PDB file of all heavy atoms in Angstrom:
ATOM      1  N   GLN A 106       3.529 -12.701  -8.016  1.00 97.00           N
ATOM      2  CA  GLN A 106       4.807 -13.374  -7.943  1.00 97.00           C
ATOM      3  C   GLN A 106       5.674 -12.704  -6.863  1.00 97.00           C
ATOM      4  O   GLN A 106       6.578 -11.939  -7.123  1.00 97.00           O
ATOM      5  CB  GLN A 106       5.553 -13.312  -9.296  1.00 97.00           C
ATOM      6  CG  GLN A 106       4.779 -13.994 -10.425  1.00 97.00           C
ATOM      7  CD  GLN A 106       4.517 -15.505 -10.071  1.00 97.00           C
ATOM      8  OE1 GLN A 106       5.489 -16.217  -9.908  1.00 97.00           O
ATOM      9  NE2 GLN A 106       3.311 -15.898  -9.926  1.00 97.00           N
ATOM     10  N   LYS A 107       5.289 -12.986  -5.649  1.00 98.00           N
ATOM     11  CA  LYS A 107       5.933 -12.270  -4.511  1.00 98.00           C
ATOM     12  C   LYS A 107       5.774 -13.051  -3.217  1.00 98.00           C
ATOM     13  O   LYS A 107       4.906 -13.910  -3.125  1.00 98.00           O
ATOM     14  CB  LYS A 107       5.390 -10.856  -4.344  1.00 98.00           C
ATOM     15  CG  LYS A 107       3.958 -10.820  -3.993  1.00 98.00           C
ATOM     16  CD  LYS A 107       3.623  -9.505  -3.253  1.00 98.00           C
ATOM     17  CE  LYS A 107       2.252  -9.578  -2.592  1.00 98.00           C
ATOM     18  NZ  LYS A 107       1.158  -9.129  -3.363  1.00 98.00           N
ATOM     19  N   GLU A 108       6.517 -12.648  -2.192  1.00 98.00           N
ATOM     20  CA  GLU A 108       6.291 -13.050  -0.804  1.00 98.00           C
ATOM     21  C   GLU A 108       6.205 -11.789   0.025  1.00 98.00           C
ATOM     22  O   GLU A 108       6.737 -10.798  -0.336  1.00 98.00           O
ATOM     23  CB  GLU A 108       7.372 -13.983  -0.229  1.00 98.00           C
ATOM     24  CG  GLU A 108       8.707 -13.421  -0.347  1.00 98.00           C
ATOM     25  CD  GLU A 108       9.808 -14.326   0.245  1.00 98.00           C
ATOM     26  OE1 GLU A 108       9.551 -15.331   0.934  1.00 98.00           O
ATOM     27  OE2 GLU A 108      10.973 -14.142  -0.099  1.00 98.00           O
ATOM     28  N   SER A 109       5.416 -11.826   1.090  1.00 98.00           N
ATOM     29  CA  SER A 109       5.269 -10.653   1.942  1.00 98.00           C
ATOM     30  C   SER A 109       4.961 -11.014   3.388  1.00 98.00           C
ATOM     31  O   SER A 109       4.480 -12.081   3.633  1.00 98.00           O
ATOM     32  CB  SER A 109       4.146  -9.744   1.374  1.00 98.00           C
ATOM     33  OG  SER A 109       2.896 -10.377   1.649  1.00 98.00           O
ATOM     34  N   ILE A 110       5.314 -10.054   4.219  1.00 98.00           N
ATOM     35  CA  ILE A 110       4.881 -10.168   5.703  1.00 98.00           C
ATOM     36  C   ILE A 110       4.230  -8.936   6.101  1.00 98.00           C
ATOM     37  O   ILE A 110       4.737  -7.809   5.841  1.00 98.00           O
ATOM     38  CB  ILE A 110       6.019 -10.627   6.591  1.00 98.00           C
ATOM     39  CG1 ILE A 110       5.521 -10.754   8.007  1.00 98.00           C
ATOM     40  CG2 ILE A 110       7.245  -9.647   6.553  1.00 98.00           C
ATOM     41  CD1 ILE A 110       6.344 -11.606   8.915  1.00 98.00           C
ATOM     42  N   GLN A 111       3.109  -9.062   6.765  1.00 98.00           N
ATOM     43  CA  GLN A 111       2.427  -7.866   7.295  1.00 98.00           C
ATOM     44  C   GLN A 111       2.477  -7.843   8.841  1.00 98.00           C
ATOM     45  O   GLN A 111       2.312  -8.923   9.478  1.00 98.00           O
ATOM     46  CB  GLN A 111       0.941  -7.876   6.884  1.00 98.00           C
ATOM     47  CG  GLN A 111       0.784  -7.927   5.374  1.00 98.00           C
ATOM     48  CD  GLN A 111      -0.622  -7.333   4.980  1.00 98.00           C
ATOM     49  OE1 GLN A 111      -0.894  -6.210   5.083  1.00 98.00           O
ATOM     50  NE2 GLN A 111      -1.442  -8.299   4.510  1.00 98.00           N
ATOM     51  N   LEU A 112       2.742  -6.672   9.338  1.00 98.00           N
ATOM     52  CA  LEU A 112       2.937  -6.542  10.821  1.00 98.00           C
ATOM     53  C   LEU A 112       2.053  -5.438  11.351  1.00 98.00           C
ATOM     54  O   LEU A 112       1.871  -4.418  10.711  1.00 98.00           O
ATOM     55  CB  LEU A 112       4.370  -6.154  11.081  1.00 98.00           C
ATOM     56  CG  LEU A 112       5.448  -7.073  10.548  1.00 98.00           C
ATOM     57  CD1 LEU A 112       6.857  -6.431  10.589  1.00 98.00           C
ATOM     58  CD2 LEU A 112       5.462  -8.409  11.298  1.00 98.00           C
ATOM     59  N   GLN A 113       1.437  -5.668  12.513  1.00 98.00           N
ATOM     60  CA  GLN A 113       0.682  -4.630  13.122  1.00 98.00           C
ATOM     61  C   GLN A 113       1.321  -4.245  14.441  1.00 98.00           C
ATOM     62  O   GLN A 113       1.707  -5.112  15.241  1.00 98.00           O
ATOM     63  CB  GLN A 113      -0.769  -5.074  13.397  1.00 98.00           C
ATOM     64  CG  GLN A 113      -1.549  -5.228  12.069  1.00 98.00           C
ATOM     65  CD  GLN A 113      -3.036  -5.613  12.314  1.00 98.00           C
ATOM     66  OE1 GLN A 113      -3.416  -5.900  13.405  1.00 98.00           O
ATOM     67  NE2 GLN A 113      -3.775  -5.625  11.202  1.00 98.00           N
ATOM     68  N   TYR A 114       1.371  -2.975  14.678  1.00 97.00           N
ATOM     69  CA  TYR A 114       2.070  -2.399  15.848  1.00 97.00           C
ATOM     70  C   TYR A 114       1.574  -3.081  17.101  1.00 97.00           C
ATOM     71  O   TYR A 114       2.389  -3.459  17.956  1.00 97.00           O
ATOM     72  CB  TYR A 114       1.846  -0.888  15.846  1.00 97.00           C
ATOM     73  CG  TYR A 114       2.689  -0.182  16.881  1.00 97.00           C
ATOM     74  CD1 TYR A 114       3.990   0.196  16.589  1.00 97.00           C
ATOM     75  CD2 TYR A 114       2.140   0.206  18.087  1.00 97.00           C
ATOM     76  CE1 TYR A 114       4.778   0.800  17.510  1.00 97.00           C
ATOM     77  CE2 TYR A 114       2.956   0.857  19.028  1.00 97.00           C
ATOM     78  CZ  TYR A 114       4.257   1.163  18.763  1.00 97.00           C
ATOM     79  OH  TYR A 114       4.992   1.844  19.644  1.00 97.00           O
TER      80      TYR A 114
END
Side-chain angles (χ1 to χ4, degrees):
Q106 299 301 297
K107 64 154 193 269
E108 58 181 340
S109 71
I110 181 160
Q111 299 204 73
L112 305 166
Q113 289 184 355
Y114 189 82

